[in-house]
Amino acid sequence: MTRFDPSDPLRGSLRPPSDKSVSHRAALIAAMGEGTTPISGYLDAADTRSTLGAVEAVGARVEGAEPGRIGAELKVHGVGLRGAGPATIDVGNAGTLLRLLPGWLAGQEGESWLLDGDDSIRRRPVDRIAAPLREMGARISCREERLPPLEIEGAPLRGIAYEMPIASAQVKSCLLFAGLLAEGETRVIEPAPSRDHTERMLAAAGVEVRREDAEGKASAGGGTVVVRPAGRLEPGPLRVPADISSAAFFVVAATLLVGSEAVLLDVGVNPTRTGLLDILERMGASVEVEERREEGGEPIATLRVRAAELRGTEVGGAEVPRAIDELPLVALAACFAEGTTTIRDAAELRRKESDRIETVSAALNALGGRVEPTADGIAVEGTGGLRGGAIDSHGDHRIAMLGAVAGLASREGVEVRGMDAAAVSYPGFEADLAALLS
Ligand code: S3P
C-alpha cells in the first residue's frame, strides 16, 4: 500500500515523461526503416521497453537502451519494410504494441510470429485487428477467435476500404502499416478522428498517406485515411514530446489543490489528444496553453495550470477518442465539481488495461464519491470533494496514478494498493509529484 495524504498546493515546473503512443510508433517505424534512425526523448517505461524488445526480436538493433538510461538519444538500426525475421514476441502489458505490430508483420511472406503478453494483455481483444487484416488476406489465428496469444503467418495482402465500428487509433495504425505492404490503396474510415501520430510519422518517412472527407476531397479533420504501398521508409531523426496523458495527472491535481500553479513543459498538444483540456475548460478550470510551436512533426506547448472551482459537464461523441485515456481523471475532477457530470459513448473504456468504467467507479465510490457506472460511461454527482480511503489499481497504471491525485485532494488521504503499476507509462511518477509538492 502506498499512502497519499492531503497536501499543500502544487508549485513549480517539470517536463512530464515522453509520449507513450509516439514512442511505440517511433520504435516500430524506425525498425521498418532503412539504415539508422535516431530517436530523441524515447519513453523509458515498461510498455515502451516491450516495443524495443519486439523490434530487437524481429532483427532490428537498438543502441542506447541500457536500463534506466534511455531517453536522451536512442538509435534504431532498421531491418527495412520487408525484413522482419521470425520471432516469439512478449508484448508485456502493451496493448498498443499488440495491436500495431501485426499490421507490419502480416504482409511479410514466408515468415511467422507469435505474440503474447501478461495476464491483462490476455484479456484484451485482438479480433478488432484480426478481422480487417484477414479481409486484406492475412493469416492470423488467436485464442477463442478474439484473444492473445496471436499467431501470424506472413501472406500477400491487398488494400481494402475498412469502416471502423469504433474510433481506434490502434486499429487504424495497424491497417495503415499493413497497407504499406499491400497491393493497391488501403482506406480506413473513422467514425470520429482518433490520434494521428502514425499518419504524421509515415508521411515524414516518405509514405503517401492522406486524409479525405466524405466527398473524397483532401481534409484535415475526420473522414478517411488513405495509404499507398511503400517501397522503403526513410524516417529521418525522430523526436518524442512529453505525454499529455501523463501531464494530465498534474493538470488535474493542480486544478483541485487550492493555491496551486504548475507549469508543464514540452507537452504534446496534437488536437487529436487534447480533449481533456476542452472538457476542463468547460468545467471552469484554468489551463493556459503557452509557447505553442511544432517540433518533430507534432505540436507542442507549455501548460500553465492554476487551481479553480469546477462545475459539472457532459462528455460524449467525437470528444471521447480525443480524451479516451483521460476520462478516468474527468470522473475524478467531477467528484470535486458542483453539479452532475455525464460521460457517454465511452464503452471502449471497458477494454483498456482494466475495465475502467468499473475500476474508476469502484475506486471513486470507495473514497466517498457518488459515481455510477453505465453501459457506455460514468455518471458523477459532484459533492465538492472526496473523503478518502483505500483503492486497488487492479494493475492499471492510470488507476494507480488517479488514486495518488485523489489522495492529495481528499480530506483524509488515500492508500493505493498496486502503485507499482504506474511504471507501465510513468516510472518516476511519485518522484515528480514530490518535486511539485516541495
Ligand atoms: C493508443 C490508442 C488508444 C489509447 C491507448 C493508446 C495508441 O487506444 O487508449 O492508450 O497509441 O494508438 P484505442 O486506439 O484502442 O482507442
Side-chain angles (χ1 to χ4, degrees):
M1 286 282 211
T2 310
R3 196 174 164 78
F4 296 91
D5 283 315
S7 88
D8 293 337
L10 255 64
R11 291 261 164 204
S13 68
L14 62 77
R15 180 197 191 268
S18 290
D19 193 283
K20 185 153 82 71
S21 287
V22 176
S23 295
H24 283 305
R25 287 157 172 79
L28 292 171
I29 289 174
M32 294 174 200
E34 305 291 326
T36 302
T37 298
I39 307 174
S40 64
Y42 191 84
L43 172 66
D44 188 2
D47 257 22
T48 43
R49 283 196 167 271
S50 295
T51 298
L52 295 182
V55 300
E56 284 182 317
V58 301
R61 201 157 60 75
V62 179
E63 249 184 275
E66 297 77 24
R69 289 201 43 217
I70 62 177
E73 180 128 327
L74 204 68
K75 283 196 175 78
V76 178
H77 305 274
V79 293
L81 204 46
R82 292 164 181 80
T88 294
I89 295 163
D90 178 6
V91 305
N93 190 251
T96 302
L97 175 60
L98 173 73
R99 271 67 168 264
L100 265 58
L101 183 58
W104 176 33
L105 302 178
Q108 303 191 48
E109 286 174 70
E111 305 292 0
S112 63
W113 298 270
L114 182 73
L115 271 67
D116 201 359
D118 68 10
D119 287 348
S120 146
I121 270 295
R122 284 184 158 214
R123 294 191 294 270
R124 311 280 302 271
V126 285
D127 46 338
R128 55 183 55 200
I129 57 158
L133 284 175
R134 283 186 191 128
E135 256 184 68
M136 295 177 79
R139 283 205 284 270
I140 296 192
S141 55
C142 42
R143 187 166 51 93
E144 294 166 23
E145 280 308 301
R146 60 190 185 90
L147 298 168
L150 189 72
E151 243 184 293
I152 304 160
E153 244 183 88
L157 302 182
R158 56 189 170 273
I160 57 166
Y162 183 67
E163 199 167 334
M164 286 196 292
I166 38 158
S168 165
Q170 295 180 350
V171 175
K172 173 177 65 176
S173 301
C174 173
L175 300 181
L176 295 179
F177 285 165
L180 299 175
L181 287 159
E183 205 186 304
E185 256 177 22
T186 298
R187 309 173 70 84
V188 186
I189 302 135
E190 295 196 278
S194 64
R195 64 193 68 189
D196 66 357
H197 309 301
T198 304
E199 294 92 303
R200 287 171 185 256
M201 226 179 269
L202 285 179
V207 170
E208 269 187 75
V209 56
R210 65 180 194 278
R211 190 171 269 279
E212 287 179 358
D213 64 15
E215 280 82 50
K217 293 191 216 98
S219 139
T224 304
V225 184
V226 187
V227 70
R228 306 257 329 144
R232 51 194 278 134
L233 254 57
E234 286 178 12
L238 300 173
R239 178 188 185 279
V240 186
D243 196 329
I244 191 163
S245 298
S246 297
F249 295 97
F250 303 127
V251 170
V252 171
T255 298
L256 298 181
L257 289 168
V258 177
S260 294
E261 179 165 349
V263 176
L264 304 165
L265 306 168
D266 193 33
V267 180
V269 287
N270 181 316
T272 59
R273 297 283 301 278
T274 50
L276 175 73
L277 303 186
D278 299 341
I279 295 165
L280 284 176
E281 190 181 352
R282 284 203 303 281
M283 295 178 82
S286 164
V287 183
E288 280 168 45
V289 181
E290 301 171 350
E291 296 170 346
R292 273 186 192 272
R293 59 214 182 269
E294 186 154 324
E295 276 180 36
E298 289 282 343
I300 57 178
T302 298
L303 305 183
R304 181 180 300 274
V305 193
R306 295 186 181 89
E309 304 220 332
L310 300 180
R311 54 187 170 269
T313 189
E314 304 275 312
V315 178
E319 202 162 52
V320 167
R322 297 180 54 241
I324 187 74
D325 294 335
E326 291 69 67
L327 294 177
L329 281 167
V330 171
L332 170 66
C335 291
F336 289 80
E338 198 171 292
T340 303
T341 296
T342 314
I343 301 170
R344 295 192 180 83
D345 306 322
E348 269 302 276
L349 287 178
R350 295 197 181 276
R351 304 198 174 76
K352 298 298 176 188
E353 286 81 334
S354 65
D355 174 343
R356 288 186 178 154
I357 292 185
E358 296 304 328
T359 51
V360 170
S361 302
L364 296 176
N365 282 330
L367 305 181
R370 290 202 199 140
V371 180
E372 206 182 308
T374 63
D376 71 343
I378 301 176
V380 181
E381 203 189 312
T383 57
L386 280 179
R387 180 195 62 232
I391 69 153
D392 195 317
S393 73
H394 296 277
D396 183 332
H397 54 131
R398 300 203 198 279
I399 305 296
M401 292 185 276
L402 171 132
V405 175
L408 306 183
S410 69
R411 291 188 294 277
E412 297 175 8
V414 170
E415 303 233 339
V416 180
R417 183 190 299 277
M419 194 60 214
D420 52 336
V424 157
S425 62
Y426 199 159
F429 174 73
E430 285 176 70
D432 281 357
L433 190 56
L436 286 177
L437 290 172
S438 58

